[in-house]
Amino acid sequence: MVKNMSLDGKNSYLVVCKVSQIIFNDMKLVKDNTVDKDAFLKMVDKYVTKDVEFWKQPLKDAFDHCQKGLMSDLTKVTDFFSKAPFNIKKEDCDAQYVALFTCIHLDSFANCPTAAWKPTNEKACSSMKTWFGKCGTDFSGIKKIIGGAN
């Protein structure tokens, strides 16, 4: 699990938050200070190539799941990430981006298609997939995975 290590005296979670915010903005996925669903879906269609096309639907489904679940109450997101171990203050970074980025990553992994699993790693991958699938639909899963808290 990732611990809150310092990067030149900076909160590493804050750095990840800022990187997430920059990624969404630089990819032109932000509209009215939130990630635009249509822009995200178009980005997935454009950049997920034929050789890994089986990832398209899990990524789209993950966006829907995360937007309806975690992102439905941005005040809750901001409040959650403002506390330990994250300590990301609203004035320093908009935590909605790191929350959405993390949620999409975990949700798409937990629901990834069978074609993505290599036969040599199937047992290890399946156990990780099951574990991620049990993370829950709230912030406790994120805190447990990246915060090291129980």
Side-chain angles (χ1 to χ4, degrees):
M1 285 181 230
V2 177
K3 296 293 180 192
N4 190 8
M5 297 182 287
S6 178
L7 301 173
D8 292 333
K10 298 212 187 265
N11 173 340
S12 61
Y13 296 119
L14 177 60
V15 172
V16 172
C17 181
K18 288 184 179 248
V19 168
S20 299
Q21 189 170 346
I22 289 167
I23 288 170
F24 281 116
N25 278 296
D26 282 359
M27 293 186 78
K28 305 206 181 329
L29 301 177
V30 178
K31 181 179 179 183
D32 299 327
N33 199 36
T34 191
V35 178
D36 180 59
K37 179 180 178 175
D38 291 334
F40 181 85
L41 297 179
K42 286 177 186 174
M43 184 268 308
V44 169
D45 285 335
K46 181 177 180 179
Y47 291 108
V48 177
T49 59
K50 279 193 177 216
D51 56 327
V52 290
E53 192 163 343
F54 48 79
W55 279 108
K56 278 187 181 184
Q57 199 57 51
L59 285 167
K60 291 177 179 183
D61 292 345
F63 185 89
D64 280 342
H65 177 251
C66 295
Q67 190 179 46
K68 288 176 186 166
L70 290 179
M71 306 311 291
S72 62
D73 186 348
L74 292 181
T75 302
K76 201 183 257 187
V77 171
T78 301
D79 183 54
F80 174 79
F81 280 97
S82 70
K83 297 175 184 160
F86 308 108
N87 300 314
I88 300 171
K89 304 299 178 210
K90 186 177 183 178
E91 59 273 8
D92 295 329
C93 185
D94 191 340
Q96 71 171 307
Y97 300 105
V98 69
L100 185 60
F101 190 85
T102 303
C103 183
I104 289 170
H105 179 82
L106 297 177
D107 191 87
S108 61
F109 182 82
N111 296 302
C112 72
T114 306
W117 301 113
K118 304 264 188 237
T120 55
N121 296 329
E122 190 171 328
K123 188 174 183 179
C125 291
S126 293
S127 65
M128 284 299 288
K129 182 177 176 179
T130 300
W131 188 82
F132 276 129
K134 293 180 180 178
C135 288
T137 56
D138 60 13
F139 294 111
S140 62
I142 291 174
K143 194 169 188 176
K144 193 176 286 185
I145 292 165
I146 63 175
N150 292 324

